Every structure is written in C-alpha cells, then in structure tokens.
Amino acid sequence: MRAPGRLPGRACLRPSLLVLALVLALLPLAMPNNYVADIAVRIALAAIAAIGLNLLMGFAGQISIGHAAFVAIGAYGSGIVSVRLGWPPLAAIAGAALGAALVAWLIAKPILRLKGHSLTMATLGLGVIVNIVLINEVDWTGGPDGMPVPPLTVGSFAFAKVMHWYALAAVLLWLSVLLSLNLYESPAGRALRGLNGSEVAARVMGVDVARFKVRAFVVSAVFAAVSGSLTAHYLGFISPSLAAFTHSVELATMVVLGGMASTFGAVLGAALLTALPQVLGGLHGYEMVFFGLVLMLTMMFLPKGLVPSIALRMRRKA
C-alpha cells in the first residue's frame, strides 16, 4: 500500500515523526512516578486503536460505534489461547490479530453495503453481540467476572515493570503513526480519501469502492485487536466491559475530537480522553456525560477537530 517509487525509509525523515520520536524518548525524564508512567502506557495503547479507527472513519468515511468489539476480540483472543491453550504471549497476540482480521473480513462486505445511520447501527450491533458472547461463554471467558491474563514475555524476558511497557508501547505507537502516514500518502490512501469525499466520483475514477472499504475495515480491526491484546497482557485481567458501547463511543470520540483523517489528531484525542478522567477523578461514573460534552463543544467550536482546526488557524496567521 506504499506509493510506487517511495523509498522504504523516507517516511522516517518526516519532521513530525522525528519530533514524535524525540518526545517519546524524552518523556520518561518528566515522569515523576509509576502512576504517570502507567497513564502514558494506557494513552499509547489507546492511541494505537484510535489510529486504526481513524483509518476507517477519517480516511474511508465509514462511521463505526462498535469498534470496541475488535479491542475485546484481541484481548480475549490473546487471553484465551495463552491461558486455555498454553500459547506463548507473542503467538497469542499474533493469533488474536489474525482472528480479528478474519472476523472483520467476514462481516465487512454485508455491513459496508450500508450507509449513514444504517451503517452506524450495524456496527453498534456488532459490539452488542460480542459483549453478550463474552458474558455468556463463562467456560472460556470467565463470564461477567472476567479472566486473568499472563504477563507478556519474549523468551526469558518478562515485561514486569511499567517502564518496560512504556518502551514497548512507545515504539509500537511510533510505528503505528508511521504506517498511518505512509498509507495516507499512498495510492491506497488517496483512494480511501476519494471514496470518503464521494463514492460515486471515486467509482468513476476507477476505485474499487467495496474492496477498499473492506481493506480499511480489516486494517482498523487489526490495530484495535493488537491494542486490546497488549492491554490485556499489561493489565493482567480483562472483562466484557472492553466490548461495551461506552468504550466504542470513547474510541470514536478520540478520533472526532483530535480531528478526522488526522493521525496526530487521533493520538491527541486518545491522550486527552485517557488522561483527563484520571486528572478529574471526581467525574468517576460520569465518563459518558464528559465525553458527550467534549464532543458537543468540539463540533460547535472546532468542527474539524483539534489538530486540523489549530493547524488551519496557524496557517491563516502565517
């Protein structure tokens, strides 16, 4: 999906990617304790899922409010095969990602034939189905009580400390941003943006609309599944709330708040919506009210999202 003639390492020379790498490398120096480091890890893992969802919503223009289903599939897939079947964690994560890709591919064609509110409701139904399955399949998932997940190990090395996890999450976040930016500039990315603007116009220009929709859906599902698998091994415990409607809304809000079709916007949205509830501890139990308020204010005053709106104003002043 890379543009023809583009050198493999050329995207790494983008100033924004170099700045991101520098920020991620220096951020530990500003972390006063493990609590802050824990929030940073959670932000990075959430941002990976948000970047994937942005490929679907921001690039391809397909609205999904059931994407937490794939986060849960990744988390439970990795947890089940590592606990019940004895797979090593890395193999479990890869297997869960492939499983999520297969599920996404199987349901993408019928779901993505829908448009507008019908598509939104169909993705909501997907999340509800996965949530119910996780609650009822007690023997495999632990039911409403959830299930423990073993720590992540690579050979004899175990990711036992929060800074180990920060290093891993930071590298994976940087790679996710790199892949997203490369896709944005590639012919496939231009095709996705074309069908986002007008499916009819994209079809006239020779774009296989159905195929590109399915690809975007599958790739976004893999991002979400990897995020879910890593979250499961990091936390050491998972529950059906991973597939809850509130989690899907949170992911969609991250994309809309940061800016549709903006990779760095997805990262910023994930950072804000992951960190603020930790800072504003008094809002416990009112997360959905908070997300709704943030979404309303963003649409009213920054309809393009934070990053695109700020960038536009800076260009106007320049």
Side-chain angles (χ1 to χ4, degrees):
M1 301 177 81
R2 192 177 70 238
R6 187 182 182 84
L7 295 176
R10 186 177 175 185
C12 300
L13 301 178
R14 291 173 59 101
S16 57
L17 281 169
L18 296 176
V19 170
L20 177 62
L22 184 63
V23 169
L24 292 174
L26 297 179
L27 191 58
L29 300 177
M31 296 178 184
N33 50 50
N34 284 343
Y35 174 73
V36 176
D38 172 69
I39 295 177
V41 173
R42 293 171 185 261
I43 289 173
L45 295 180
I48 293 172
I51 290 170
L53 182 56
N54 184 55
L55 297 179
L56 181 65
M57 292 179 56
F59 287 17
Q62 309 303 302
I63 305 300
S64 172
I65 56 171
H67 224 62
F70 294 111
V71 176
I73 289 173
Y76 272 91
S78 185
I80 289 171
V81 299
S82 58
V83 173
R84 315 292 189 201
L85 304 181
W87 287 25
L90 284 182
I93 292 173
L98 289 174
L102 178 60
V103 172
W105 182 77
L106 289 174
I107 66 175
K109 287 189 176 181
I111 281 185
L112 295 177
R113 292 179 187 273
L114 304 173
K115 301 180 186 297
H117 300 302
S118 299
L119 173 61
T120 303
M121 295 305 295
T123 58
L124 171 60
L126 170 64
V128 171
I129 291 171
V130 171
N131 185 252
I132 292 175
V133 170
L134 295 178
I135 292 174
N136 291 333
E137 292 297 324
V138 179
D139 293 339
W140 285 95
T141 67
D145 296 331
M147 63 178 290
V149 180
L152 178 63
T153 56
V154 179
S156 60
F157 180 79
F159 287 81
K161 297 181 179 179
V162 67
M163 291 311 299
H164 295 161
W165 272 100
Y166 174 79
L168 175 63
V171 170
L172 292 177
L173 173 60
W174 189 87
L175 290 175
S176 298
V177 172
L178 172 65
L179 290 173
S180 179
L181 292 177
N182 266 349
L183 175 61
Y184 186 85
E185 295 178 348
S186 71
R190 289 192 290 273
L192 288 175
R193 284 178 281 152
L195 67 90
N196 183 8
S198 171
E199 291 188 14
V200 175
R203 191 174 289 109
V204 169
M205 295 300 294
V207 175
D208 188 335
V209 172
R211 186 181 67 173
F212 276 99
K213 281 184 178 182
V214 171
R215 284 184 178 182
F217 197 72
V218 171
V219 172
S220 67
V222 171
F223 271 77
V226 171
S227 171
S229 294
L230 292 171
T231 300
H233 289 286
Y234 174 61
L235 297 179
F237 185 84
I238 50 178
S239 69
S241 62
L242 283 172
F245 171 66
T246 54
H247 190 198
S248 290
V249 172
E250 181 181 357
L251 290 174
T253 305
M254 290 175 184
V255 175
V256 175
L257 174 63
M260 300 277 276
S262 171
T263 300
F264 287 102
V267 176
L268 178 60
L272 291 175
L273 293 185
T274 303
L276 284 181
Q278 304 296 326
V279 176
L280 305 175
L283 288 177
H284 180 68
Y286 291 89
E287 288 87 354
M288 290 305 298
V289 175
F290 172 72
F291 293 149
L293 180 61
V294 168
L295 192 58
M296 287 174 56
L297 293 176
T298 301
M299 292 296 95
M300 289 170 60
F301 299 105
L302 299 171
K304 295 184 180 296
L306 291 174
V307 171
S309 298
I310 293 172
L312 180 61
R313 292 185 180 182
M314 291 179 63
R315 285 196 295 268
R316 287 176 176 175
K317 290 182 179 180

